[in-house]
Amino acid sequence: MSFRLPPRVALVLGGGGLKGFAHIGVLRAFRERGVKPAVVAGSSIGALLAAAYAGGMSVEEMELRATSLRKHDLFRLDHLHMVTKRMLSPSLYLAGPLEHLVDEIVPRGTFADLPMPLLVNCVDLERAAQTVWGLPGLQDVRVAEAVYASCALPGFFPPRVVGGRTCADGGVIDNLPVVPASYGVDGVIAVDVGSTNMATARRIQDKGFAAIFMRAAQTMMRTMQLGSLGRWSGPPLFLIRPEVWQFNWFSFAHTRRLIEAGYVAAHAALDSMGDCLMGPGGVFPKRTVEVSIDRDACIGCRTCAIMAPGMIAMDETGKAVVTRATAEWSRADGDFVHQCPTKAIKVMALEGDSRRATMEWRTQPDEDFVASD
């Protein structure tokens, strides 16, 4: 199927732990279909792979390195500092393995030395502000230093001083940095692998502080991302969401499946894209959905009516009712459905005469956050 792209398109690769291996499949599909972004941007593992791409690394080499990576190559406990510094230890894991991985993958030199524009999203911890390395005025630092910082999840890896700023994982402030990437381009393609589809995490209180921290961080990332997309006023944006929600953030056991999921999702996205990136704006793809409420399950908490007053109201019995049953939604819409404490709101995607439950609001399996082989 055909698609058309405007002259300058930015490709944004989101964070999501090792789920980000799906980006490799996306890049492979784009190469096959002749998609050549003018700008690449990323957070966390998205920044790592965006930098590799900007430096000219082949998809085959990315895939070889990803499939050969093992837990001990990345996660090594910092026993010394945990014993000697205790609560003042900067992180659970040593910086060395992550530094080595970054140095092997990203191009040498500064952002100004790269053959194409690259944006690496970080958070400046001291200023509590977003820092996007690669923007004008923020190019005279080593790419490897910025990428390490963007991957350094607070508490897991120590932060890094980059250009005089103490920086850490960009996902803390913007897991899918579409806004900085949108400046000066005609369209944006963003690949979300980490924060929008959230599986149920039962017994989270029994899985340790690392799992609790990661769950809180993912919730924060998801909320900020949906807010950013919901307020989108830039050029047309196409959101690709590979089906990787069921995989562990830190599992090394499913690399090939993750890459394949990104490959399939990218081809499907291009097949359905058509001319949507040639228009004036909006978030795509859009679909017609039908919203309904299970009145037996509704407890009348009003959360849905507060969040979506144009679609939900409360009736005289104190139950929620739908005032507009169908709508045209992008994947940035409908967060109020997820917020229902009793899962009383149902969403069906309308496809011709058929209806199907949408992936975003299905009941999903438990998710874990412990690094595993």
Side-chain angles (χ1 to χ4, degrees):
M1 301 178 73
S2 63
F3 62 92
R4 288 204 304 154
L5 298 178
R8 288 180 54 81
V9 173
L11 174 62
V12 181
L13 306 180
L18 299 184
K19 295 183 183 185
F21 287 148
H23 294 317
I24 300 173
V26 171
L27 293 172
R28 175 153 53 97
F30 278 15
R31 184 187 64 185
E32 292 176 359
R33 303 290 287 271
V35 177
K36 297 180 179 179
V39 179
V40 286
S43 280
S44 196
I45 191 170
L48 178 68
L49 292 170
Y53 178 85
M57 180 177 284
S58 69
V59 172
E60 288 76 17
E61 186 172 356
M62 292 183 202
E63 187 166 350
L64 178 63
R65 289 178 178 275
T67 53
S68 63
L69 191 68
R70 296 294 180 266
K71 179 181 176 180
H72 68 271
D73 296 325
L74 188 57
F75 296 106
R76 298 182 196 171
L77 287 171
D78 188 355
H79 292 289
L80 177 61
H81 284 148
M82 291 173 69
V83 171
T84 59
K85 292 188 175 182
R86 298 189 179 184
M87 293 299 293
L88 293 179
S89 177
S91 63
L92 281 174
Y93 297 109
L94 293 166
L98 178 57
E99 290 174 338
H100 180 70
L101 175 67
V102 170
D103 286 340
E104 281 195 329
I105 290 177
V106 309
R108 300 182 182 277
T110 69
F111 286 82
D113 299 324
L114 292 173
M116 69 177 299
L118 167 69
L119 304 179
V120 171
N121 185 53
C122 294
V123 59
D124 180 336
L125 292 175
E126 293 184 349
R127 295 176 57 246
Q130 185 174 20
T131 300
V132 183
W133 299 105
L135 289 175
L138 295 171
Q139 297 177 343
D140 294 327
V141 300
R142 289 182 59 232
V143 175
E145 295 291 323
V147 170
Y148 169 89
S150 187
C151 294
L153 182 65
F156 283 66
F157 294 100
R160 175 61 48 87
V161 176
V162 184
R165 303 168 187 265
T166 303
C167 293
D169 188 350
V172 170
I173 199 163
D174 190 354
N175 201 43
L176 194 67
V178 291
V179 173
S182 69
Y183 184 79
V185 300
D186 308 302
V188 179
I189 300 174
V191 187
D192 169 31
V193 296
S195 60
T196 300
N197 285 337
M198 290 186 65
T200 302
R202 297 183 178 88
R203 305 181 306 279
I204 188 69
Q205 73 275 14
D206 301 326
K207 296 179 180 179
F209 81 91
I212 294 171
F213 173 84
M214 277 304 304
R215 185 63 174 180
Q218 187 187 15
T219 302
M220 174 188 66
M221 293 173 189
R222 177 184 183 278
T223 301
M224 291 191 300
Q225 180 177 311
L226 288 174
S228 176
L229 293 175
R231 297 186 299 272
W232 183 252
S233 60
L237 184 157
F238 197 96
L239 186 62
I240 299 176
R241 187 171 294 153
E243 292 195 13
V244 296
W245 51 266
Q246 70 273 35
F247 296 106
N248 186 316
W249 272 53
F250 301 122
S251 173
F252 295 81
H254 306 290
T255 301
R256 293 191 184 279
R257 292 174 64 190
L258 288 164
I259 294 172
E260 182 64 17
Y263 179 78
V264 170
H267 272 299
L270 294 174
D271 285 342
S272 65
M273 185 176 292
D275 294 340
C276 68
L277 288 186
M278 304 298 293
V283 179
F284 301 91
K286 294 185 182 294
R287 56 191 166 178
T288 303
V289 299
E290 181 180 78
V291 181
S292 61
I293 294 175
D294 181 346
R295 289 181 61 82
D296 291 334
C298 177
I299 58 174
C301 69
R302 301 187 180 185
T303 300
C304 56
I306 293 169
M307 295 185 67
M311 179 165 280
I312 307 291
M314 307 304 294
D315 68 12
E316 65 279 359
T317 69
K319 297 278 189 175
V321 293
V322 176
T323 58
R324 182 162 56 93
T326 61
E328 290 291 320
W329 279 0
S330 75
R331 287 170 171 167
D333 297 311
D335 185 47
F336 69 92
V337 178
H338 177 77
Q339 303 299 331
C340 177
T342 61
K343 300 180 181 178
I345 307 173
K346 311 300 179 186
V347 179
M348 306 295 288
L350 304 182
E351 298 177 344
D353 295 328
S354 65
R355 291 171 169 79
R356 63 177 178 84
T358 62
M359 176 63 69
E360 286 81 355
W361 301 286
R362 291 179 190 168
T363 300
Q364 301 168 347
D366 288 357
E367 186 172 39
D368 204 353
F369 301 95
V370 180
S372 60
D373 293 325

